[in-house]
């Protein structure tokens, strides 16, 4: 079913307010869930709200966290998220990284004691909207087998980057480092379809085409994605002093235990490498050249990361947002 964006915002915010989240924080979480639901990432939108609410009830996510900033030097801040909602901690971490980069050219924020922060492209887009390049690395609990391994060890460990383009949309790449998301396996299961054998492994560590048997995903791009997933765990976890790999507290098991996740934010201010104008002009010319590349058979055009999502978002903001009946029932309950 479709609901208006205003209703979506009202329902989601009210749910969070009911669980003692402040008005400001509820507004931030609502905006980031809306970002996911309006840009074709429903796996990270309101679908996850019941889970966040359960954790707020169990206090493994604090409704009113007290974030602590440890400013190590001019460019590095360590941020203790105090087990708050991951969206809030990540939004403030990105604000801090942007503010540092504004003054110093580079801003680095290492986060610990946070929780699931949703579609991390949102934070990359924040930097792009300030005419800066933003990179975010986020660890997650074990779901992906290491290249050549039989069992899940690494998380889907997403990487996102954003950059201004000089066009009417920022560039935003936002990808997990698994071959596909677990959500895509679930969708094929619901449709009764088989899946390609290179998506996942069964409990014997053997490649399977039965979506019901998948207990671990394969890494994106084989050994290359596996290596990137390790990089994510190093930057977001090892540097921040949090658990890594399969020692990370799972999202869905014991809801009474805080997850103590780590995250890493890097913002680069192009105006320290030349002028902001020259950077944006070069980006605009790169984007135009890419868009001008001849499409392969089966493609209508060559798209820029974030371009299609931007069009989808415009449509949703004008015409309303698609949610499931079950989600609607939850929101109005
Ligand atoms: N917070 C967490 O712990 C966590 C963990 C895992 C995943 N996630 C989120 O899951 C979401 C989905 O990740 P995913 O790996 O399934 O994404 P995906 O495979 O759908 O890839 C999405 C990216 O690919 C780009 N893309 C897709 N088609 C394109 C095209 N035709 N041309 C150019 N670019 C194109 C898009 O710009 C987009 O940034 C992300 O938002 C990610 O942040 C979050």
């Amino acid at each position: 079913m479709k609901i208006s964006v205003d209703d979506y915002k009202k329902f989601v915010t009210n749910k969070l307010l009911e669980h003692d989240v402040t008005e400001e924080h509820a507004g931030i979480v609502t905006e980031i869930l809306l970002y996911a639901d309006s840009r074709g990432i429903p796996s990270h939108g309101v679908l996850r709200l019941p889970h966040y609410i359960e954790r707020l009830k169990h206090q493994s996510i604090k409704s009113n966290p007290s974030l602590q900033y440890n400013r190590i030097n001019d460019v590095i801040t360590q941020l203790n998220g105090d087990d708050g909602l991951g969206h809030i901690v990540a939004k403030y971490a990105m604000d801090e990284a942007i503010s540092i980069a504004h003054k110093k050219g580079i801003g680095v924020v290492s986060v610990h004691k946070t929780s699931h922060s949703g579609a991390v492209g949102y934070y990359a887009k924040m930097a792009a909207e300030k005419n800066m390049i933003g990179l975010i690395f986020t660890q997650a609990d074990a779901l992906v087998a290491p290249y050549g391994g039989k069992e899940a060890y690494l998380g889907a460990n997403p990487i996102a980057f954003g950059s201004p383009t000089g066009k009417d949309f920022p560039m935003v790449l936002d990808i997990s480092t698994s071959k596909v998301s677990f959500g895509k396996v679930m969708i094929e299961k619901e449709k009764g379809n088989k899946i390609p054998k290179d998506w996942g492994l069964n409990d014997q560590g053997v490649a399977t085409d039965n979506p019901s048997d998948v207990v671990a995903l394969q890494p994106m791009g084989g050994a290359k994605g596996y290596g990137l997933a390790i990089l994510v765990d190093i930057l977001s976890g090892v540097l921040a002093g949090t658990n890594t790999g399969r020692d990370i507290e799972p999202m869905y098991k014991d809801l009474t235990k805080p997850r103590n996740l780590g995250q890493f934010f890097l913002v680069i201010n192009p105006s320290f490498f030349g002028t902001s104008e020259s950077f944006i002009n070069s980006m605009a010319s790169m984007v135009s050249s890419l868009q001008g590349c001849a499409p392969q058979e089966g493609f209508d055009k060559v798209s820029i990361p974030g371009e299609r999502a931007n069009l989808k978002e415009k449509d949703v903001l004008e015409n309303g947002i698609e949610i499931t009946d079950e989600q609607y029932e939850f929101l109005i309950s």
Side-chain angles (χ1 to χ4, degrees):
M1 64 181 298
K2 216 174 225 186
I3 60 171
S4 74
V5 166
D6 283 348
D7 277 349
Y8 177 101
K9 285 184 179 171
K10 189 175 70 194
F11 294 147
V12 174
T13 302
N14 283 344
K15 275 278 161 204
L16 291 160
L17 293 177
E18 275 169 24
H19 293 88
D20 299 329
V21 176
T22 64
E23 213 153 306
E24 183 196 349
H25 287 178
I28 292 171
V29 178
T30 301
E31 188 181 318
I32 300 169
L33 296 183
L34 174 63
Y35 169 91
D37 277 322
S38 60
R39 289 175 65 102
I41 320 168
S43 56
H44 286 69
V46 74
L47 173 81
R48 305 270 179 152
L49 188 59
H51 170 77
Y52 304 137
I53 300 286
E54 278 309 302
R55 280 196 173 268
L56 285 166
K57 283 187 195 160
H58 288 93
Q59 294 172 12
S60 57
I61 291 183
K62 287 188 192 164
S63 51
N64 200 357
S66 172
L67 273 52
Q68 286 155 34
Y69 295 80
N70 180 17
R71 297 192 167 97
I72 301 292
N73 61 23
D74 283 354
V75 293
I76 301 174
T77 295
Q78 289 174 326
L79 177 58
N80 177 339
D82 193 30
D83 301 320
L85 281 153
H87 307 73
I88 294 161
V89 180
K91 157 82 167 60
Y92 285 123
M94 187 41 106
D95 279 340
E96 170 82 359
I98 289 171
S99 149
I100 300 172
H102 180 69
K103 291 178 266 183
K104 298 291 170 187
I106 298 276
V108 176
V109 178
S110 167
V111 170
H112 61 285
K113 278 179 91 63
T114 190
S115 57
H116 190 255
S117 59
V120 294
Y122 178 87
Y123 315 105
K125 187 164 171 266
M126 283 173 64
E129 285 170 348
K130 297 284 182 197
N131 288 338
M132 300 190 202
I133 303 166
L135 288 114
I136 297 97
F137 301 82
T138 305
Q139 61 172 190
D141 50 303
L143 185 62
V144 182
Y147 181 63
K150 284 179 110 171
E151 299 166 357
Y153 182 94
L154 292 154
N157 295 4
I159 299 175
F161 84 83
S163 169
T165 58
K167 307 277 179 184
D168 62 353
F169 65 93
M171 193 180 289
V172 179
L173 180 77
D174 179 15
I175 50 167
S176 54
T177 45
S178 51
K179 170 95 190 170
V180 293
S181 68
F182 205 73
K184 285 182 188 152
V185 176
M186 290 297 102
I187 288 168
E188 296 311 315
K189 180 181 161 184
E190 273 168 29
K191 288 183 186 162
N193 291 341
K194 288 193 169 182
I195 53 170
K197 270 202 160 180
D198 60 352
W199 283 17
L201 303 173
N202 64 18
D203 60 2
Q204 303 300 306
V206 176
T208 178
D209 58 7
N210 182 348
S212 304
D213 289 348
V214 172
V215 297
L217 299 171
Q218 293 280 31
M220 156 190 88
K224 300 177 191 184
Y226 161 54
L228 285 176
I230 295 176
L231 172 69
V232 173
D233 230 3
I234 295 171
L235 292 176
S236 57
V238 181
L239 266 186
T242 62
N243 285 343
T244 59
R246 58 179 161 220
D247 295 327
I248 294 171
E249 192 56 42
M251 185 159 178
Y252 290 106
K253 281 198 180 142
D254 185 347
L255 298 185
T256 66
K257 281 195 189 160
R259 299 196 60 216
N260 188 19
L261 295 178
Q263 219 168 3
F264 185 79
F265 295 78
L266 170 64
V267 174
I268 301 166
N269 183 347
S271 71
F272 281 71
F273 295 75
T275 65
S276 195
E277 292 71 28
S278 63
F279 175 77
I280 289 171
N281 288 339
S282 299
M283 284 301 299
S285 132
M286 179 208 265
V287 166
S288 298
S289 306
L290 281 166
Q291 288 171 322
C293 286
Q296 282 176 35
E297 202 181 316
F299 289 79
D300 56 345
K301 59 180 280 210
V302 171
S303 294
I304 305 304
E307 188 179 359
R308 286 167 194 256
N310 188 62
L311 283 177
K312 193 167 172 44
E313 189 175 40
K314 276 189 180 155
D315 175 61
V316 165
L317 295 181
E318 270 171 32
N319 300 313
I321 191 155
E322 201 67 54
I323 60 169
T324 64
D325 293 351
E326 200 184 342
Q327 287 163 358
Y328 183 70
E329 290 305 321
F330 173 77
L331 287 177
I332 60 163
S333 65

